Amino acid sequence: MTRPKPSYHHGNLRNALFEEAVKLVEQAGVENFSLREAARLVGVSANAAYRHFADKSELLAAVAEFGFGLLERRLLAAISAVSDQPTAAAAAIERIRAAGRAYVDFAVEHPELLRVMFGSSGLATLEKDSSLQPAPFVLLSNALDALVREEVLPADRRAGAELKAWTVVHGFASLVILAGGADQRRAKRAADLETLLDFAMVGLCGRLD
Amino acid sequence: MTRPKPSYHHGNLRNALFEEAVKLVEQAGVENFSLREAARLVGVSANAAYRHFADKSELLAAVAEFGFGLLERRLLAAISAVSDQPTAAAAAIERIRAAGRAYVDFAVEHPELLRVMFGSSGLATLEKDSSLQPAPFVLLSNALDALVREEVLPADRRAGAELKAWTVVHGFASLVILAGGADQRRAKRAADLETLLDFAMVGLCGRLD
DNA sequence: AGGCTAAAGTTGACACTGTACACATCTATG
DNA sequence: CATAGATGTGTACAGTGTCAACTTTAGCCT
């Protein structure tokens, strides 16, 4: 992977550091991540990183941003994979549920990434300069609009639906991460999530479909 | 507060360090907390701490435990403060809602404390040796039982109710902390929470009361 | 009371960390 | 082809968590 340093200049340091950072964070968590270690593993002096990132937190912000992108792709994939539903309404419902599952799956597979995204180097610092809402939020919003169009979500209950859906899914993801992948059986988790999705649909629409 | 060191031995170092740790964590966050700084502020050498805590994470675990205690007291106070409801059922409902509000209030007032509680030095390491469930969970459980007794929560919907309630409240608390106390208006947040509590009650009971 | 032990604090050291400054080297552009 | 700007390097500093060896002192045993 890392060539024996044929030249003084690395050529792609920014990206190499970034990828190493993602790897290290996922392995050992943010609190154990060290700028120097990343530089070392990439085969470069500690200070080289400062030519590409103002400081440690800026590198972590890049990691967080990557996380949001990955999450978005996961959500998108899950939504598009829904098919063969008896009715359009059923499809709209299933798409929302699929997104919820994808979110939790993402959290389970990349807990440390999620921590960075929602940690002090994450959302709070990111959305300062990116004026648009994080993409995952937009996806959710569209899915909810579809739910209204299919008349499963009454229009007069549309307000605040994003908050409700996001709250449930993010809350569950947090709790699952906490409970520690250790004893939390995969099947049990999936079953809990389905119950929770039912619960959310009832709360949102006022009834079960 | 801190006497001019009349004696070589501090006399109450463990507690002094612990209190300083709580203060520092609340002010600057876990990631900026330093064992040495705490020792310095307490007027003692850096290594003195190691006579009372195996390492930094053990001190933070104590802080986390304190947080859970504080949260429990808040929940308890909120629940007991509910009074003058037309019916017993209404009282049971209002007690759950009051607990939800108390949880979010706690999160807003002590965001860093909550981060420690649910961080890597928190729950995960705590519940290893404390065999009993965290007290706040028991409180919630009891409140839900009351809801069943008053027949507002159908018995066949009782299963998994803790998870649902906890998920909503914890999820909202997380999001609120993220959104950053800055622009998040107090009134707006309270209104959002009420909407969310309605939502949760509908989802739990299957109808609005 | 007097003396000793173990608990509670101390100093010094080590291997780290993030970051600042000055210097070296290379790439590309005039 | 020179030279400027971008990119990496080395050294340095303050700060961290933690270890080991030393000192002080409180409290118990005779």
Side-chain angles (χ1 to χ4, degrees), chain A residues 8-9 33-36 40 47 50-51 55-56:
Chain A
Y8 188 87
H9 282 26
F33 171 73
S34 137
L35 203 54
R36 289 178 105 112
R40 215 178 300 135
N47 281 349
Y50 287 88
R51 295 292 159 188
D55 54 10
K56 183 183 180 179

Side-chain angles (χ1 to χ4, degrees), chain A residues 164, chain B residues 74-75 77-82 85 89-105 139-140 143-144 147 152 165 168-169 172 189-205 207-209:
Chain A
K164 293 171 188 170
Chain B
R74 292 293 208 90
L75 294 180
I79 289 175
S80 344
V82 171
Q85 298 294 320
I93 293 177
E94 192 50 27
R95 271 192 283 270
I96 291 246
R97 300 182 69 112
R101 288 186 207 106
Y103 192 104
V104 173
D105 285 348
L139 282 182
L140 173 59
L144 287 169
L147 226 48
V152 4
V168 169
V169 150
F172 184 67
R189 187 206 317 138
D192 280 351
L193 179 53
E194 293 308 316
T195 313
L196 222 42
L197 290 176
D198 291 342
F199 157 78
M201 291 306 291
V202 174
L204 269 177
C205 308
R207 67 181 196 284
L208 239 185
D209 292 63

